[in-house]
Amino acid sequence: MRAISGLWRWRHNPLCRTTDLVEAWLALAALLLILLATPLAGCLVGGLAQDALQQSVREQRASRHLVTATVVREMDGSALDADPETSTGRDVRTRVLAYWTAPDGSEHRAPVMASLDSPQPGDRFTIWTDRHGRTVARPLDSATAGTHAVLAGLGAALIAAGLIEGGRRLVLWRMSRRRYARWDRAWDKAGPDWGRTGTGS
């Protein structure tokens, strides 16, 4: 920002080097690119992610079914576990042996996690299965998909801003190396006797 604010003052200053103007214009161009390109990149990536995630939500809702299972018995040594799929992570789940009927009519009996504090034989609870009755994770919901799409857009915007700033710094680094190389050549041209009295006489 300091380079941009000084750009107008430095235009006709006799002490202004060409590299000073280039650095100021480069900073201005990078700022404009960050202000214009990063929101565009974020919106583009966020939109694509939203479309893909919502398509996944529709596919999961079509292929996963909520069925009612019945507790046969609690599994031995089953500790209470927090459900990682819930929004709060505080819902307690217990491992039980249960049976259920799949959407295709087949009967199933297997150990599953039940959202019951103290399950008793005959207690009923719901689980997610595929069409053939195999247990699956709950389908992604639209709100979660939208949140992931927003995060993807923000990530893309931050990456774009980082790339622009990284490119600006790389150009400045190369300019500094060239400047130092010119100074080294100028010092070499001045010779080892520079600054001594009577040099060149």
Side-chain angles (χ1 to χ4, degrees), residues 120-145:
Q120 301 297 322
D123 287 349
R124 299 169 72 82
F125 62 98
T126 55
I127 58 172
W128 288 97
T129 70
D130 63 9
R131 189 169 59 87
H132 302 293
R134 293 183 293 265
T135 57
V136 294
R138 73 180 57 176
L140 185 67
D141 60 84
S142 296
T144 304

Side-chain angles (χ1 to χ4, degrees), residues 1 45 48 57 106 149 188 199:
M1 290 304 293
V45 171
L48 291 173
V57 167
S106 59
D188 289 342
T199 300

Side-chain angles (χ1 to χ4, degrees), residues 62-131:
S63 64
R64 299 180 186 187
H65 307 277
L66 193 63
V67 299
T68 301
T70 304
V71 175
V72 175
R73 64 178 169 83
E74 185 174 355
M75 301 292 289
D76 291 335
S78 63
L80 297 179
D81 294 323
D83 182 8
E85 296 179 6
T86 60
S87 58
T88 63
R90 294 182 187 147
D91 291 347
V92 175
R93 296 175 67 94
T94 310
R95 192 168 179 80
V96 299
L97 180 65
Y99 67 88
W100 64 91
T101 303
D104 65 359
S106 59
E107 298 285 337
H108 295 269
R109 181 183 178 109
V112 294
M113 299 301 290
S115 54
L116 301 169
D117 290 335
S118 54
Q120 301 297 322
D123 287 349
R124 299 169 72 82
F125 62 98
T126 55
I127 58 172
W128 288 97
T129 70
D130 63 9
R131 189 169 59 87

